[in-house]
Amino acid sequence: MRFSGRLICAAIGNAAMLAPVVVQAEVRLPHLLSDHAVLQREAPIHIWGNSDLGETVTVRFHDQTRTATADDLGKWSLWLMPEKAGGPYTLTVAGSSTVTVSDILVGDVWLASGQSNMEMPLDGFPNSAVLKNGAEEIAHATLPTVRLLSVERKPSAFPMNDVSTTWTECNPETAAKFSAVAYFFGREINQKEKVPVGLIDTTWGGTPVESWISLMGISADASLMPLFRSRALFARDLADTPAIMAKEKRESDAAVAVGKPSPEPHWHPNPASWEPAALFNGMIAPETQYTIKGVIWYQGEANSDPERAPLYARSFPALIADWRRDWAQGNFPFLYVQISNFYSPEEDWGAVRDAQRRTLSVANTAMAVTLDIGTKDNVHPPDKQTVGARLALAARATVYGERGFEYSGPLFREATTEGSAMRVWFDHAESGLNSTRAPAGFEIAGKDGKFVPATAKIDGSTVVVEAAGVSHPQVVRYGWASWTDANLFNKEKLPASTFASH
């Protein structure tokens, strides 16, 4: 009998699958547990890795010794008792081989995520955005008790269990390429709280919120299904992208050839980075095994188009719940930045800002408002120092329990009707309100729902708003336009948030 080569190969392959396979596996730790790491203080510390099947590994750290046994996939995991801030220490894991990790500090670990305004590094974006006083900030970026971990930009179709990068010390070379907002936040916490700080930078510019939520998180809420419609609309013309880009290049070349300015190039994001759950899988899931103090987040611009903006009030809280569920550390602090001030009239920045304000109803959250530091013609404001400082101010008050200072700008409480005017009441305005000139950025609407510009005057810790032609006002809103002249502050010079009273 003659056998074909294909049948012989299949038989050999099947026999190989049935034969016992002996694999020598050295003890391995994930990249997250590397030299220069920061482990979270005053919380159970998770240590995990891989080794031979069924092997017992011994973990030694500071004054603790624990053992674990690898399962039938070679995975092992254990928890160390909470440690106080300190170090540097050495972590040793011994089995068939020994792994030693050095220069480990115990302090607070903060994960920074979002799109380009969180991603923007100290050395800025080439030909696009420059950090205020960037060269000086980089030159002074040697912080021995601050450590940095930059996660590779990597979408995935399924949740990954490790990253490809390791911790580094904070110095001018490493800080230059690190998130500026996260750096300024971490620097302030390090200096004010006198503890080591570990910062994990897992960001990707121009990405929507749904890319950062797991599929389990999206599927848990039927009202989030329109996210997949948004994805379908985005993907509909992707096959034509090469032809579209070629057309844009021809138009640019033709303009330059006759001495005219080249048309503004269209932005073509990486399609994989817009896939629902793709960035959660590749860039968040690996860190969910690592004990953290909390999260700082700056995102929303990519969800400001009319298709996505109305859903942000549900998708953003869903992300927070999703991450807390996956970390299984309870309601850890989630601090975030309200998107800033930028001229983009075809998009609904007001709806996104207001959705972010409303998300403060979620437990253990705080928001940094940045309306006053935006730039009209650049979506990346240069003043990231103020952003980091306001996040740190919120952390100091809500996470670290410091007292004696205000940490938030005025937040809408309620609006009451007084004849043809509306009076707006605020929280975080007990010491009074002020503005750089006459209060601006207010609009009111009657029963027809049509908003018109309104005049406003400050009355203690409230604002009285009215407009000619609106005799029976029903709704008031503030700072709604993408680029707004809103200028209301409290006495501590912290700006008021965008809001709508309905």
Side-chain angles (χ1 to χ4, degrees), residues 33 67 125 131 145 155 196 228 317 319 405 425 483 501:
L33 296 171
T67 61
F125 294 133
L131 179 74
T145 55
F228 292 102
L319 177 140
F405 60 85
W425 305 76
W483 176 254
S501 63

Side-chain angles (χ1 to χ4, degrees), residues 114-117 204-212 227 230-231 234 267 269-270 273-275 279 297-312 315 337 339-340 342 344 346-349 352-353 356 379-380:
Q115 57 180 110
S116 57
N117 269 307
W204 193 329
T207 53
V209 68
E210 56 265 32
S211 297
W212 297 97
L227 292 175
S230 296
R231 171 62 185 181
F234 173 86
W267 175 58
N270 183 324
S273 72
W274 278 57
E275 183 76 34
L279 303 188
W297 171 263
Y298 192 167
Q299 189 275 340
E301 299 92 338
N303 286 87
S304 62
D305 64 276
E307 174 71 27
R308 287 178 168 82
L311 198 58
Y312 203 78
S315 55
V337 183
I339 61 173
S340 194
F342 172 66
S344 185
E346 296 181 358
E347 298 182 315
D348 201 347
W349 284 47
V352 173
R353 290 194 202 108
Q356 292 171 325
V379 74
H380 304 117

Side-chain angles (χ1 to χ4, degrees), residues 246-263:
K247 175 177 176 288
E248 291 170 355
K249 186 177 186 305
R250 289 195 302 272
E251 292 172 347
S252 176
D253 292 344
V256 172
V258 295
K260 294 182 179 180
S262 175

Side-chain angles (χ1 to χ4, degrees), residues 27-55:
V27 173
R28 290 186 290 111
L29 291 173
H31 289 85
L32 286 162
L33 296 171
S34 72
D35 292 346
H36 314 303
V38 177
L39 300 179
Q40 180 57 46
R41 64 173 171 146
E42 299 172 0
I45 299 172
H46 190 206
I47 306 295
W48 73 101
N50 296 81
S51 66
D52 286 335
L53 310 184
E55 180 178 26

Side-chain angles (χ1 to χ4, degrees), residues 15 18 30 37 77 79 157 212 230 252 271 291 332 358-359 370 391 395 490:
L18 295 173
S77 171
W79 293 85
W212 297 97
S230 296
S252 176
T291 310
F332 56 69
R358 293 172 187 270
T359 301
T370 61
L391 284 171
N490 55 20

Side-chain angles (χ1 to χ4, degrees), residues 228-248 266-271 274 308:
F228 292 102
R229 180 179 185 276
S230 296
R231 171 62 185 181
L233 292 174
F234 173 86
R236 185 172 52 190
D237 299 323
L238 286 180
D240 290 333
T241 297
I244 292 171
M245 295 178 70
K247 175 177 176 288
E248 291 170 355
H266 292 85
W267 175 58
H268 299 284
N270 183 324
W274 278 57
R308 287 178 168 82

Side-chain angles (χ1 to χ4, degrees), residues 380-443:
H380 304 117
D383 184 4
K384 294 296 188 280
Q385 290 89 336
T386 296
V387 181
R390 287 178 182 169
L391 284 171
L393 200 65
R396 290 167 57 200
T398 65
V399 179
Y400 294 100
E402 291 188 46
R403 297 291 180 264
F405 60 85
E406 180 58 83
Y407 70 90
S408 172
L411 291 173
F412 171 78
R413 182 194 303 166
E414 63 176 324
T416 55
T417 302
E418 299 182 359
S420 61
M422 298 191 77
R423 184 180 295 271
V424 183
W425 305 76
F426 294 91
D427 293 320
H428 300 282
E430 290 77 8
S431 59
L433 298 168
N434 61 35
S435 59
T436 54
R437 56 191 183 282
F442 285 91
E443 301 170 274

